[in-house]
Amino acid sequence: MTDSGGRSNKAERDAFTVEVGYALCSAAFAALVVYGAIVAPALLFRLPHLVENLLRHTGLVLAPVLFVVRVVSVLRRYRRPAQPSQPGRTSPDS
């Protein structure tokens, strides 16, 4: 990520801090939406006890898994270095 032998400047540290904040906020939002979508039927409708428990437990399992997957995917995408352009050669996306 840096060209100075592993040292990062303030701009790079700030950019990484923003990216971590984005990863955490977007992961929390996605987990909350998924949890709400799964548990909402149990709260809105009169369902059998077994179905209500199954929906609540499914939401409690899937929400943290989604949170972790989202954080990891955002941070891995951020860490991937950009492909440097090479003068005189065609870029792969042209």
Side-chain angles (χ1 to χ4, degrees), residues 10-90:
K10 182 162 175 36
E12 289 172 337
R13 288 192 311 266
D14 288 347
F16 186 69
T17 301
V18 168
E19 198 68 24
V20 168
Y22 168 73
L24 293 174
C25 289
S26 67
F29 179 75
L32 183 65
V33 167
V34 167
Y35 179 77
I38 292 172
V39 177
L43 299 174
L44 296 174
F45 304 112
R46 199 109 168 106
L47 299 173
H49 185 65
L50 179 65
V51 175
E52 284 184 6
N53 282 342
L54 180 64
L55 289 174
R56 286 189 184 121
H57 290 305
T58 302
L60 286 174
V61 169
L62 286 182
V65 169
L66 176 64
F67 181 86
V68 170
V69 168
R70 177 67 182 163
V71 168
V72 168
S73 68
V74 168
L75 294 180
R76 287 183 101 199
R77 184 176 40 204
Y78 175 76
R79 287 296 212 174
R80 195 173 301 145
Q83 182 177 0
S85 63
Q86 298 172 343
R89 294 192 177 197
T90 305

